[in-house]
Every structure is written in C-alpha cells, then in structure tokens.
Amino acid sequence: MSSSPVDRNRLWSRLDDAVAKQGVPLPTPVFVVDLDAFDRNADDLVRRAGGKPVRVASKSLRVPVLIERALAQEGMHGVLGYTLREALWLQQQGICDDIVVAYPTVDRGALAELLASPAALAAITLMVDDPAHLDVVDSVRISSSEQVRVAVDVDAGLRVARQHVGPKRSPLGDVAAVLRLTREISSRPGFRLVGAMTYEGQVAGVQDAVPTSRARSAIVRRVKSLSINQLAVRRREVAAALADVADLEFWNGGGSGSVEETAADPVVTEIAAGSGLLVPTLFDHYRSFAPRPASYFGLPVTRKPTAEMATVHGGGLIASGPIGADRLPTPWAPAGLELTGLEGAGEVQTPLTGPSAARLEIGDLVWFRHGKSGEVFEHATTVHLLAGDEFVDSVPSYRGCGQSF
Ligand SMILES: Cc1ncc(COP(=O)(O)O)c(C=O)c1O
C-alpha cells in the first residue's frame, strides 16, 4: 500500500463508512484490523520465506482470532510465544499445539502447570540459555518422568572488536558455550533438547531505508550485511557441533524485517514473524518489504482549541523501547495531521495541527497507527475486523479474554 495523501484520505472515508454502517456508536478508541491487508501481508511473509515455514510471533498480534487466522495460512506453522502462561492458555484454548516460548521463564506457578499437563508438555518448548533456567524447572518437579522440551537461544549479535551489536539476551555466543549448556541439558533427566534459536534483531527489527535519515540507513544496511555474514558462520559451526549431541526438530531465526536473509541460511529451518502482518509504523521503511499497514485506532475529535486545530480524546498509546519520537502513535488518516511538540500524544487528550486539522469537526474520527504491532492491543478489549468496506466481525484481544501476559 502506498502512504500517499490520497490513499490516506481514501482510508479515512473507508474506515468512517465502516463505522457508520455499524448503525450503533462504537466505543472509542475504535481498534480496527484491515483483514485484506493482513492476508496480503501473510502471503508476502510466506513468499519471502521461500518455502520455509513461518512461525507466528504472537506478541505482535495479541488477538486470538488473528493468531488463528495467521496459522490457517498455508506456509505458517506454530506460535512463537512470549510467556509460558500465554503458551499454556493458547494450548488449553485449542488455538495451537506447537508453541515455542521465545524467552526464558522463571515463573514457577506456570512451570508447575506445564509439568502437570502431558498435553502442554507435548505442545510447548521452553527457551533456555543458562543452567539456572533448568534449575527453576527442577525446583518445581515432582518426578523426572515429565519430559520438558527445551531449545537453546544462541546469541545472534554482531561482534566487532569488543563491541556487540544486537539484542542483549543470550550469553551463548560460541560453540563452546552452547555445548556446555547442551551437555548440562543431556545430563539432567527430564529435559529434551529439541531446537535452537538465533534472533538477529539488529537485522530483523531496525529500519534501513528511512527517507529522512539516509546516512544512518546506509550504516544500518552495512551492519545488517556484516551481521548476516558473521552469523552464517556461527550458525554453521554451532549446528555442526550440535548434530553430534541432539537431533534438533527446528532452528528458528529472524523476524519480519529479515525473512529472506534468514531463510537463505541453510541451517535455519523456520522463520519467526509477527509485525509484518499488521505493519506498525516502526516497520515502515525497510528495504526488504513494502509495508501494507493493517492496524489502526480511531479517536474522536472532542474540542477545537482554535479554528486551525483539533483535539482528540485519548492518544497516548506509546510504544516500548528507547525513548524517541518514533515511539509515538502517528495520526494517519486523514493525511496532513501532526502531533504538537509540547503535548505529543497525551494521556487523555491529543491536540493535532497540520493542514487537515482545520477541516476536522467535533465528532469526527481521526485514525492513528501505533509504533508497534501487538502492543497496541494491550489498550483494547475488542478489535473490529474490516473486510472491503465493512466490519465483518468484532473479536476480543487477549485483554478482552481477560488475559494479560
Ligand atoms: C525471539 C524473537 N524472534 C522474532 C522476533 C520478530 O518478531 P516480529 O516479526 O514481530 O518483529 C522477535 C521480536 O522481538 C523476537 O524477540
């Protein structure tokens, strides 16, 4: 989708028409997912993965129906979850029976639940990078007969001299460190090593074609290319060493911004992706794919502080990460609206300026895009699904299901 002003104004009419067709006033914020864009993004991710399955990163959706919709797509398989409690819930709800929890857990209550359920033990894989993660599991075990599926998270950062560029997560940075942990896993009854993961966040999650910062984008592209080359060697070495120790079911890698580069590595058997389905603003401006935004929230204009301005109710749905303007939501439709420097996106009210603000009237809806993908739905209980020009369903988010992970 292009983000031209014409397209954004067309989107404004389309969304407003869909709201009007509902016939009843919708509570605001009105959270909307455009299914046409979502499905095309799903096709695109599968195409980019070049035949390797895409594992759905659920943190970037947080709406059960959307997770199911992605899983129904040919070429997508399994969930990359973000907490063990979430994984247990997805398994209990029958939403997925192949869930890799991408981040280590020390949640003893959830582990006790996992150990008590043969179905959950068969469906869920825990991520580990330290013997302490195994100790926590053992601390709640009653017997060693419960086989816990584990995967090792191998650091995928770029090392240049003493610098490390990439997510600061796993201490397993070389073959020796990985083998130390895998020997520990093999020596303990009740654990089965089934997979490995390398998440190259410095490639998958950093914009590299930002029109307003060309020099920085050029540096990012250089870092990405160095990372891919260095990581290919590390993956190959670790995989060769692991082949003598375990028969791995999967090697997970990548994210929405690196699908084709990660898929090109023969060691990787599956690609993780989530943000590429909804395409929040932090996933605009990637060289590797054309964004097709699929998620919006509508806020009503409630005040006109001056004839040239409009103030909407709500707005401060800020994305996590390093503080910066890119973490703010973006007034998207109609085109030609800006946040103010003084108030930004406010807790209860958000003033808007720009050429379109003058034509906004009290009661109009302004449609925003969030910086991040699933995180926006932590503010939502209900999400309206748009197909063509109308809402075809209204579905609960995790929050709407009474869940907060
Ligand atoms: C382990 C892991 N894999 C993959 C991803 C990519 O997810 P997405 O495609 O939603 O950016 C992330 C994002 O943070 C991650 O932490």
Side-chain angles (χ1 to χ4, degrees):
M1 196 213 88
S2 129
S3 57
S4 73
V6 172
D7 285 333
R8 285 163 69 169
N9 289 334
R10 230 178 250 146
L11 175 74
W12 190 38
S13 310
R14 186 178 164 219
L15 289 167
D16 280 358
D17 286 353
V19 171
K21 275 188 210 154
Q22 285 293 95
V24 287
L26 295 176
T28 55
V30 185
F31 292 90
V32 172
V33 166
D34 177 348
L35 292 179
D36 303 332
F38 183 93
D39 290 344
R40 288 180 65 196
N41 289 334
D43 283 344
D44 218 33
L45 288 168
V46 169
R47 178 192 55 76
R48 291 169 61 206
K52 292 189 179 172
V54 174
R55 187 177 283 278
V56 180
S58 57
K59 75 174 180 63
S60 303
L61 292 177
R62 306 192 200 201
V63 177
V65 164
L66 294 180
I67 295 171
E68 287 177 310
R69 192 175 183 94
L71 290 174
Q73 167 87 20
E74 202 174 324
M76 296 204 162
H77 182 84
V79 163
L80 191 75
Y82 59 106
T83 74
L84 176 55
R85 279 186 197 272
E86 180 210 15
L88 289 165
W89 188 78
L90 290 173
Q91 187 269 326
Q92 282 155 12
Q93 299 296 308
I95 293 172
C96 187
D97 61 4
D98 173 6
I99 307 156
V100 176
V101 184
Y103 316 93
T105 184
V106 293
D107 182 338
R108 289 185 161 81
L111 284 167
E113 244 184 79
L114 172 73
L115 289 162
S117 163
L121 282 166
I124 296 171
T125 302
L126 302 181
M127 196 58 60
V128 296
D129 64 33
D130 194 301
H133 299 142
L134 308 174
D135 293 341
V136 182
V137 178
D138 281 337
S139 75
V140 292
R141 252 188 216 287
I142 294 163
S143 94
S144 61
S145 63
E146 301 97 13
Q147 286 291 314
V148 176
R149 294 165 55 86
V150 294
V152 284
D153 185 354
V154 181
D155 175 59
L158 171 69
R159 315 269 176 64
V160 187
R162 297 170 129 234
Q163 298 296 315
H164 174 279
V165 183
K168 307 290 180 277
R169 296 185 183 178
S170 171
L172 308 178
D174 58 25
V175 171
V178 176
L179 284 183
R180 264 196 305 279
L181 182 63
T182 54
R183 282 196 199 105
E184 182 70 35
I185 295 169
S186 318
S187 74
R188 294 199 195 199
F191 290 99
R192 192 150 70 87
L193 178 62
V194 296
M197 184 178 80
T198 36
Y199 173 56
E200 57 276 61
Q202 75 281 14
V203 182
V206 184
Q207 293 161 305
D208 60 5
V210 184
T212 50
S213 45
R214 287 183 194 283
R216 184 178 186 277
S217 293
I219 295 167
V220 171
R221 290 200 292 273
R222 180 83 189 119
V223 167
K224 288 189 179 192
S225 125
L226 289 171
S227 295
I228 294 285
N229 293 337
Q230 194 183 80
L231 185 55
V233 176
R234 194 179 316 151
R235 277 191 186 122
R236 197 169 54 234
E237 289 172 356
V238 173
L242 282 181
D244 299 330
V245 181
D247 197 9
L248 296 187
E249 291 171 19
F250 68 87
W251 191 303
N252 184 283
S256 295
S258 76
V259 176
E260 42 285 87
E261 292 94 332
T262 306
D265 187 329
V267 169
V268 172
T269 64
E270 58 173 47
I271 316 301
S275 304
L277 292 164
L278 293 178
V279 189
T281 57
L282 284 165
F283 279 81
D284 288 343
H285 310 311
Y286 274 72
R287 223 174 20 158
S288 55
F289 73 112
R292 207 177 280 113
S295 169
Y296 308 98
F297 60 94
L299 301 177
V301 175
T302 49
R303 314 179 88 169
K304 291 285 291 180
T306 68
E308 289 75 36
M309 294 181 80
T311 296
V312 294
H313 198 78
L317 280 56
I318 311 295
S320 59
I323 292 169
D326 63 354
R327 305 286 141 170
L328 293 170
T330 303
W332 190 251
L337 295 173
E338 283 159 30
L339 303 176
T340 65
L342 211 57
E343 294 184 60
E347 181 185 1
V348 179
Q349 300 190 114
T350 299
L352 298 169
T353 58
S356 293
R359 66 179 163 121
L360 289 175
E361 294 173 5
I362 287 176
D364 286 348
L365 283 174
V366 174
W367 297 91
F368 287 71
R369 289 174 66 202
H370 197 262
K372 288 192 128 179
S373 202
E375 206 176 314
V376 67
F377 298 125
E378 291 300 329
H379 301 274
T381 54
T382 302
V383 181
H384 304 284
L385 304 180
L386 180 74
D389 291 326
E390 58 189 340
F391 295 133
V392 290
D393 208 353
S394 299
V395 298
S397 62
Y398 277 177
R399 290 268 176 178
C401 296
Q403 302 299 324
S404 159
F405 303 115

